[in-house]
């Protein structure tokens, strides 16, 4: 049975609550991600052959995940680690050395426990929006991409190409974002997470498989 997300989640109320948790700049970004995610969900949900009601609800899921994706972003590094420990949110060694990355996992926890989000698809999309994961769902990819390409972004490399890929080939877009991120980290002598490398390599194989099968 398809739940009517338009009735279940009040986006205006969610935005009102989020605006009290994050700063003005982060709020503007969150709204931009919500809107970008809606556009991507319209395009790719239609191409996935979703029925009208399913498609409408998929778009709304994307908007809910988009507005909530950074709800824990303004937590300090020390508080982030403490909050994750208190909530039993697992932090790997890389995340402990780079606590800001934990805002995705902690944000997913808050989405479920404080905002009442019950759908695992939305929770997953929030949890993996920063570094991605292997075998992401379509909603996971949409939030991951929307976070990177929303209109207020202007510093990432090759943004025009990435934005084009976002609406034409989500797997190639995910690969390019991950690959560009890894290149940036290497060029700036920053620590690289093995999980990000594995995810990049996973999507490289996905693309190679697509090309092989025509």
């Amino acid at each position: 049975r398809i739940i009517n997300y338009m009735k279940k989640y009040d986006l205006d109320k969610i935005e009102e609550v989020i605006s009290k948790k994050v700063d003005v700049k982060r709020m503007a970004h969150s709204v931009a991600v919500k809107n970008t995610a809606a556009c991507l969900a319209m395009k790719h949900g239609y191409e996935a052959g979703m029925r009208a009601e399913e498609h409408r609800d998929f778009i709304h899921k994307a908007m809910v995940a988009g507005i909530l994706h950074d709800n824990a972003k303004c937590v300090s590094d020390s508080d982030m680690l403490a909050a994750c420990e208190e909530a039993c949110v697992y932090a790997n060694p890389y995340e402990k050395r780079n606590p800001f990355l934990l805002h995705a996992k902690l944000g997913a926890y808050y989405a479920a426990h404080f905002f009442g989000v019950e759908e695992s698809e939305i929770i997953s999309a929030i949890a993996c929006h920063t570094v991605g994961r292997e075998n992401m769902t379509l909603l996971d990819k949409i939030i991951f991409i929307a976070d990177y390409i929303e209109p207020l972004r202007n510093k990432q490399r090759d943004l025009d190409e990435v934005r084009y890929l976002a609406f034409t080939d989500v797997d190639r877009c995910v690969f390019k974002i991950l690959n560009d991120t890894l290149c940036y980290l290497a060029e700036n002598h920053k620590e690289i997470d093995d999980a990000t490398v594995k995810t990049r390599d996973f999507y490289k194989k996905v693309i190679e498989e697509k090309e092989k099968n025509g």
Side-chain angles (χ1 to χ4, degrees):
R1 185 174 66 88
I2 296 173
I3 299 171
N4 188 334
Y5 290 91
M6 295 299 289
K7 291 181 180 178
K8 185 170 183 181
Y9 297 116
D10 184 338
L11 279 166
D12 290 338
K13 182 63 177 177
I14 292 174
E15 287 191 31
E16 180 184 343
V17 175
I18 291 291
S19 69
K20 297 173 182 176
K21 290 171 62 70
V22 302
D23 59 37
V24 173
K25 184 177 179 181
R26 186 58 47 186
M27 187 63 199
H29 166 70
S30 297
V31 171
V33 171
K34 177 198 73 172
N35 293 335
T36 303
C39 294
L40 289 168
M42 287 180 200
K43 170 71 160 52
H44 297 297
Y46 170 78
E47 291 186 346
M50 294 180 182
R51 293 177 289 111
E53 186 177 0
E54 181 186 12
H55 190 202
R56 182 201 64 199
D57 290 342
F58 182 68
I59 294 166
H60 198 67
K61 283 185 192 179
M63 295 174 75
V64 172
I67 197 63
L68 283 171
H69 84 286
D70 268 357
N71 75 80
K73 184 70 173 183
C74 289
V75 179
S76 69
D77 284 357
S78 58
D79 288 346
M80 191 84 70
L81 288 168
C84 285
E85 185 175 352
E86 182 179 352
C88 298
V89 172
Y90 173 71
N92 64 39
Y94 178 76
E95 290 167 333
K96 288 180 179 178
R97 293 191 297 272
N98 301 274
F100 67 93
L101 292 172
L102 286 166
H103 78 272
K105 290 181 179 178
L106 186 61
Y109 176 87
Y110 287 160
H113 291 83
F114 298 135
F115 288 91
V117 175
E118 299 174 350
E119 290 68 35
S120 60
E121 308 101 302
I122 298 174
I123 301 301
S124 172
I126 296 169
C128 71
H129 82 265
T130 302
V131 297
R133 65 176 175 82
E134 298 175 70
N135 204 28
M136 286 191 280
T137 67
L138 179 56
L139 186 60
D140 291 340
K141 295 172 193 174
I142 283 172
I143 302 304
F144 177 78
I145 292 169
D147 182 43
Y148 195 90
I149 70 164
E150 56 92 348
L152 300 177
R153 297 287 202 190
N154 56 25
K155 294 180 180 179
Q156 289 85 337
R157 67 174 74 192
D158 298 334
L159 260 179
D160 287 344
E161 181 183 354
V162 177
R163 284 172 173 149
Y164 173 78
L165 288 172
F167 287 90
T168 55
D169 191 323
V170 289
D171 288 331
R172 286 183 185 277
C173 188
V174 167
F175 170 77
K176 178 152 183 65
I177 291 171
L178 290 164
N179 198 56
D180 285 356
T181 299
L182 289 169
C183 288
Y184 169 82
L185 292 172
E187 289 166 3
N188 289 274
H189 309 290
K190 295 181 180 292
E191 185 180 9
I192 291 175
D193 181 16
D194 288 342
T196 305
V197 176
K198 288 180 181 178
T199 304
R200 188 273 311 272
D201 292 347
F202 175 88
Y203 282 96
K204 182 180 180 181
K205 290 179 181 177
V206 168
I207 293 166
E208 291 172 347
E209 192 66 25
K210 281 184 178 180
E211 290 176 346
K212 188 171 83 172
N213 294 330

